[in-house]
Amino acid sequence: MSFFAILFALLIEQARPLARSNPMHAGLRAWALSINRNFDAGSSQHAWVAWALGVLLPPLAVLGVYWALLHFIGWPLALVWNVAVLYVTLGFRQFSHHFTGIRDALEEGDAAGARARLAQWKQVDASELPRSEVVRHVIEYSVIAAHRHVFGVLAWYSVCAALGLGPAGAVLYRLAEFVARYWAPHTATAHPASSALQAVAAQAWTVIDWLPARLTALCFAVVGSFEEAIEGWRFHAQRFPSDNDGVILAATAGAINVRLGGEALRKASADAYVTPGFEAGAELGDSDSTPGREPEVGHLRSVVGLVWRSVVVWMLLLALLTLARLLG
């Protein structure tokens, strides 16, 4: 069921992507805000209660529906439920329009348009960035987005589905990522989260994303330049052992031989969870960057190939596991 659910969800998402403004995302923001208002009292104990209610209750509800459909109606409707949940939580088209727009602008020589699209995507000042830095940041943002929207979801969904938990893992992963971002210090909301809740959300997200991040890095290494990717991963992990995003970016840099760095690879030194980003005009030293060639527009196509080859590897593995289960 897992293989076909993922396949159908990806096909539907490519044909009819989820709209940027949709009731699901609006409801998610309202849910996080409600949990914050009603259960965040400022202490560490209350923060863990708030996080548990905000992140664990929806997957349990999704699991309850899955079990009810599976046991009382049949597997076809349970499969449909899996596809529906994955359609909301999984997919390239939730972020790829930003990447495509910037890549097209750069290929047409419209550097100013690419900077404007980058600024609109990540809400930063990119007006002074040189062309190579625009490419570098697009690669970093896009790879992390692909991990959080696709590979991380695939990892948690596959593990939980194998344990009979249906699509609960996909919901858990995306919710943990969302609340860590929504309750982060830099996020402007009507009711900011306390420092205790911010720390709890960041800590929980680091734990939940630890294995998926390394599976993504390994997958990039397998479909890219393996030795260079593993060496970059190893070198970065020695300096920042708990930096999940940095592991992915270091492996990406080695896999396609591109120099990456900046805030995304230095995130581990920050006090709170942040989305990989940068400060416009910041100077990067060689010690803060990975080895590799200077970022070029051609590397964007290399990233697309890397990501899609990784998807194929994931689907092949799931297909083999499904076949083995059917034959066994």
Side-chain angles (χ1 to χ4, degrees), residues 317-328:
L317 286 175
L318 287 173
L320 290 175
L321 290 173
T322 301
L323 182 62
R325 185 173 181 178
L326 291 174
L327 295 177

Side-chain angles (χ1 to χ4, degrees), residues 24 30 168:
M24 292 300 301

